[in-house]
Amino acid sequence: MIQEQRIYQAYYTKSEPILNYMIDLLALKGNEYILEPCAGDGVFIDPIISTNSKVKIDAFELNTETFRNLLVKYASNASVNVKQIDTLLDIDLTFQCSMGGKYDAVIANPPYGAWRTTEERKQLKKRYNGFYAKESYSLFLYRCIEALKIGGKLVFIIPDTYLNLHRYTDIRKYILTHTKIKEIALFPSSYFPDVNFGYANLSIIALEKSQSVKKAMNNSFQMIKRFKNVEELGKNANHLSYITLNQKKLLSTNDFAFLSNHNPKISYCIEQSPLVICAIA
Ligand SMILES: C[S@@+](CC[C@H](N)C(=O)[O-])C[C@H]1O[C@@H](n2cnc3c(N)ncnc32)[C@H](O)[C@@H]1O
């Protein structure tokens, strides 16, 4: 069981406020082709199909038992297509990505740090050249942006480590140049039921695949923090902190770090310093 948890990282999003906020961010019209790349027991799928009868959903899942449960659950629902695949390595999806993507929307809580065999890691390194392959969530993020059509929307709940750690420089560059970020909410991992990891907070990122680098560069977005409880996600409250960041400006910094410091002088010092901690460590 513990080994299974290490492989699949099956922590399900059993939180109404998180689900509502994430689905609202997709702003569905009702006829989209949607991807759930790591479906679990279908927590995102159920509320979407209950209010949008014309959407089509591809639900991918690697774990055999979880896949079988999904098959049974959606057997009588023609709008949900359940497939047992490794989303990161599936050849059909790679083909769709190489053709410019096919989905109008992607929503996910991908596995964080899912364990892979040495052989699979080699494959991932080759497929995701330049990306940090030891951590699965950023590979899912990259993969799902690739799978979107131009103008397609993505909402992910993931740790906040991609925002400023040096090892995620490549994914930040990819996001900045290929997408228009809508917003990023930052909050403690304890808001997620049964999770409280000490190494990072959680984030919910909403973005749209950009038609061009130029359009991505013109985009500004807000990082939102200082929530007092999970119910405040997606709501306005006076004590919340909104930091506006411009993608072109972020791309002009050393490490493309998304700094959410309120004091611009501190952010400037960090961004412009030629010496970074990892050079010393
Ligand atoms: C963190 S859970 C999230 C499940 C669900 N989306 C939710 O939010 O409750 C991640 C799920 O991804 C599945 N998974 C892990 N690695 C995968 C992969 N490479 N391809 C497809 N599914 C994967 C796991 O079995 C697990 O069900």
Side-chain angles (χ1 to χ4, degrees):
M1 189 65 201
I2 291 172
Q3 178 65 356
E4 277 226 338
Q5 193 62 277
R6 276 183 67 207
I7 297 174
Y8 300 113
Q9 294 292 313
Y11 297 99
Y12 295 162
T13 317
K14 301 292 178 192
S15 159
E16 283 269 311
I18 293 180
L19 286 174
N20 291 341
Y21 173 53
M22 290 180 68
I23 294 170
D24 284 352
L25 282 169
L26 277 185
L28 295 172
K29 291 191 195 95
N31 56 355
E32 285 88 347
Y33 195 176
I34 303 172
L35 170 64
E36 208 314 5
C38 39
D41 65 356
V43 276
F44 290 119
I45 299 169
D46 295 337
I48 290 177
I49 54 176
S50 74
T51 46
N52 300 278
S53 57
K54 290 196 183 122
V55 292
K56 243 172 86 185
I57 303 189
D58 279 350
F60 297 160
E61 174 54 55
L62 183 61
N63 183 343
T64 303
E65 202 184 322
T66 314
F67 159 72
R68 286 196 187 127
N69 292 338
L70 285 168
L71 267 188
V72 173
K73 184 172 178 185
Y74 298 114
S76 59
N77 194 323
S79 56
V80 184
N81 170 33
V82 180
K83 250 175 108 180
Q84 184 178 25
I85 63 163
D86 182 336
T87 301
L88 295 179
L89 294 170
D90 182 67
I91 291 171
D92 289 345
L93 187 60
T94 300
F95 175 72
Q96 296 296 346
C97 291
S98 72
M99 300 298 285
K102 76 171 189 184
Y103 295 101
D104 301 300
V106 185
I107 188 161
N109 166 21
Y112 316 153
W115 181 86
R116 311 294 299 225
T117 63
T118 317
E119 193 43 49
E120 283 169 340
R121 275 214 183 150
K122 266 193 210 155
Q123 257 182 292
L124 287 171
K125 266 200 151 166
K126 206 168 151 200
R127 169 68 186 83
Y128 297 92
N129 193 18
F131 285 81
Y132 181 63
K134 282 190 189 156
E135 171 50 83
S136 46
Y137 84 78
S138 58
L139 300 184
F140 269 86
L141 183 56
Y142 173 75
R143 178 70 145 172
C144 291
I145 294 171
E146 270 195 315
L148 281 176
K149 281 184 197 159
I150 300 295
K153 293 175 186 161
L154 172 146
V155 179
F156 262 42
I157 178 166
I158 43 182
D160 66 355
T161 43
Y162 66 100
L163 295 173
N164 44 44
L165 290 191
H166 182 66
R167 65 174 74 128
Y168 295 106
T169 306
D170 292 323
I171 185 75
R172 283 196 290 278
K173 187 175 181 189
Y174 181 76
I175 295 171
L176 288 171
T177 50
H178 289 76
T179 78
K180 292 190 276 183
I181 302 169
K182 188 174 173 192
E183 69 181 50
I184 301 176
L186 303 173
F187 53 94
S189 58
S190 57
Y191 285 11
F192 194 98
D194 302 324
V195 167
N196 194 353
F197 33 80
Y199 67 90
N201 286 319
L202 275 175
S203 74
I204 290 177
I205 179 168
L207 57 79
E208 186 183 308
K209 189 162 178 177
S210 182
Q211 198 179 17
S212 65
V213 177
K214 196 172 165 204
K215 290 202 165 149
M217 292 299 91
N218 285 335
N219 188 58
S220 293
F221 64 95
Q222 287 191 315
M223 295 236 269
I224 311 165
K225 54 184 203 177
R226 302 212 180 123
F227 294 95
K228 288 193 176 158
N229 55 59
V230 69
E231 280 78 21
E232 287 186 354
L233 286 170
K235 309 258 162 51
N236 287 321
N238 286 338
H239 59 265
L240 290 177
S241 159
Y242 295 87
I243 298 119
T244 302
L245 298 174
N246 171 266
Q247 293 188 197
K248 186 174 180 184
K249 200 157 170 259
L250 286 177
L251 200 67
S252 70
T253 62
N254 278 343
D255 216 23
F256 322 131
F258 293 24
L259 299 175
S260 60
N261 201 301
H262 255 297
N263 185 337
K265 284 187 188 156
I266 296 178
S267 296
Y268 181 80
C269 281
I270 298 172
E271 281 162 6
Q272 300 306 320
S273 169
L275 191 60
V276 291
I277 286 181
C278 79
I280 301 162

